[in-house]
Amino acid sequence: MADETIQRFGIEGADPLLLAGVNDANLVELGRTLGVRAALRGDTLTVSGPGEQVDRAGSVVQALIDLARMGEGVTPDTITRMAQDGALPPELAAPGEGRILLPGLRRAILPKTQGQKDYLQAIAQNDIVIGIGPAGTGKTYLAVAKAIEALARKRVRRIILARPAVEAGESLGFLPGDLQAKVDPYLRPLYDALEDMMPQDRVAKALESRTIEIAPLAYMRGRTLSDAFIILDEAQNATGAQMKMFLTRLGVNSKVVVTGDKTQVDLPKREDSGLIQIERILPGIDGLVFHYLTEADVVRHRLVREIIRAYAQDQSG
């Protein structure tokens, strides 16, 4: 047919049997109610038919994939209800926008404050986002969640997580082990975030295949990073030269999130911080936004918020 449209959806992390149903009953119902053809091959669900019907089916198909990723049962009745009234099933009806569903994770990741919700929206809409705020506001955690989501949905081919190993400086040599063992303590928080969102065997496999790469910031020099979701954590400890080097690694179809806390600069001179420098020189560039999180966005123990407030008052006094 001349006007036939084809859409392909990645289903990585979803149980194919839950998604397709017994004897492909769900795919049959999808075709019957929405006037399309649906076929599941490997990790791809293909929907084809007239353009208008395929467009209408898109949101239903993505919701079904999300349900299957959560391990929820999908039935022909689920499809019929969604096709008729357009309402998401209760499992997907988040109390606010910004729900992130990840393969193998039986719970959704949700923004807990308005600031976090706006942060996720900024990441979705811009190529470079600089998230600035105190500890416990979810700057890195939410960025890693968005990176894994982008990888699972095949929007990027790899994730790159970087951190300055500033405390080690020139004294890496006194630490035991090879170079990787020396820098791993500074990268451990990134491993922790990954392992909280992905099964350990999948993390290990992704690291081995370099689909996910965790490295000191210095290792980024000389590279062009395309088809990637790139996160620079603890950016307040990157020098101005390092920050310029990092931001200019951006390649085609890539997204960058920079996170940092201006109150925790460990460089010998605070004014050498690349994060503080770009805050001064980069505002106003289209596609690059600064997003500020505050103590109101702290989602750790309530005492963390009180401690941050006390330090802020002491410094202002």
Side-chain angles (χ1 to χ4, degrees):
M1 294 175 59
D3 62 344
E4 177 159 294
T5 298
I6 298 175
Q7 281 194 33
R8 294 179 176 85
F9 300 82
I11 69 158
E12 182 181 293
D15 184 327
L17 181 58
L18 280 179
L19 182 59
V22 178
N23 296 325
D24 289 343
N26 294 337
L27 302 184
V28 171
E29 184 63 16
L30 189 66
R32 188 188 71 78
T33 57
L34 291 167
V36 296
R37 294 182 300 281
L40 185 58
R41 298 285 184 274
D43 282 344
T44 303
L45 176 58
T46 302
V47 178
S48 58
E52 187 175 341
Q53 279 98 314
V54 170
D55 288 343
R56 182 170 171 237
S59 60
V60 175
V61 170
Q62 190 59 63
L64 296 175
I65 293 171
D66 290 340
L67 282 171
R69 281 177 174 149
M70 295 173 69
E72 300 288 344
V74 177
T75 68
D77 284 345
T78 307
I79 297 166
T80 303
R81 288 195 302 271
M82 291 179 63
Q84 288 177 348
D85 58 29
L88 288 174
E91 297 89 341
L92 296 179
E97 296 176 13
R99 173 182 286 267
I100 301 173
L101 295 170
L102 303 179
L105 196 65
R106 294 297 298 272
R107 60 182 172 82
I109 294 174
L110 291 168
K112 294 183 171 65
T113 68
Q114 185 62 45
Q116 289 188 348
K117 178 180 172 182
D118 294 343
Y119 177 52
L120 289 177
Q121 187 173 23
I123 292 173
Q125 295 176 349
N126 296 275
D127 288 336
I128 300 179
V129 174
I130 294 95
I132 299 175
T137 51
K139 303 183 299 295
T140 304
Y141 190 85
L142 292 174
V144 171
K146 290 296 287 183
I148 297 173
E149 179 189 48
L151 184 66
R153 296 192 174 184
K154 302 190 186 309
R155 293 172 183 161
V156 297
R157 290 191 295 107
R158 55 183 172 156
I159 296 171
I160 298 171
L161 309 175
R163 251 190 172 210
V166 68
E167 298 91 343
E170 296 299 319
S171 58
L172 279 172
F174 82 88
L175 292 169
D178 60 16
L179 183 59
Q180 191 63 44
K182 295 174 193 290
V183 299
D184 268 356
Y186 304 103
L187 305 176
R188 187 68 247 173
L190 297 175
Y191 286 99
D192 290 343
L194 277 177
E195 291 171 358
D196 194 47
M197 299 179 207
M198 294 173 65
Q200 281 198 344
D201 59 332
R202 288 193 60 229
V203 173
K205 184 178 179 182
L207 290 171
E208 184 179 353
S209 66
R210 300 183 73 79
T211 303
I212 298 178
E213 180 181 348
I214 302 177
L217 174 58
Y219 286 21
M220 299 296 104
R221 191 173 301 279
R223 303 175 62 181
T224 299
L225 306 175
S226 302
D227 290 312
F229 197 116
I230 312 147
I231 299 172
L232 174 60
D233 190 33
E234 296 289 335
Q236 74 275 3
N237 290 327
T239 65
Q242 286 176 326
M243 183 65 77
K244 180 181 178 183
M245 176 273 292
F246 174 78
L247 291 176
T248 53
R249 300 307 92 200
L250 183 67
V252 176
N253 190 41
S254 287
K255 189 179 289 286
V256 165
V257 177
V258 174
T259 67
D261 179 354
K262 293 189 296 180
T263 69
Q264 297 194 37
V265 176
D266 295 318
L267 296 169
K269 294 182 180 179
R270 186 175 185 275
E271 59 270 23
D272 289 339
S273 170
L275 182 64
I276 293 173
Q277 182 186 61
I278 62 171
E279 190 181 24
R280 184 178 71 252
I281 66 176
L282 294 186
I285 296 178
D286 187 35
L288 182 155
V289 300
F290 288 81
H291 182 79
Y292 293 88
L293 295 154
T294 69
E295 65 182 49
D297 299 303
V298 173
V299 294
R300 291 180 185 169
H301 195 288
R302 67 166 184 83
L303 288 175
V304 174
R305 185 181 291 119
E306 298 297 328
I307 290 167
I308 290 169
R309 183 179 296 129
Y311 270 96
Q313 291 174 347
D314 180 68
Q315 290 172 355
S316 62

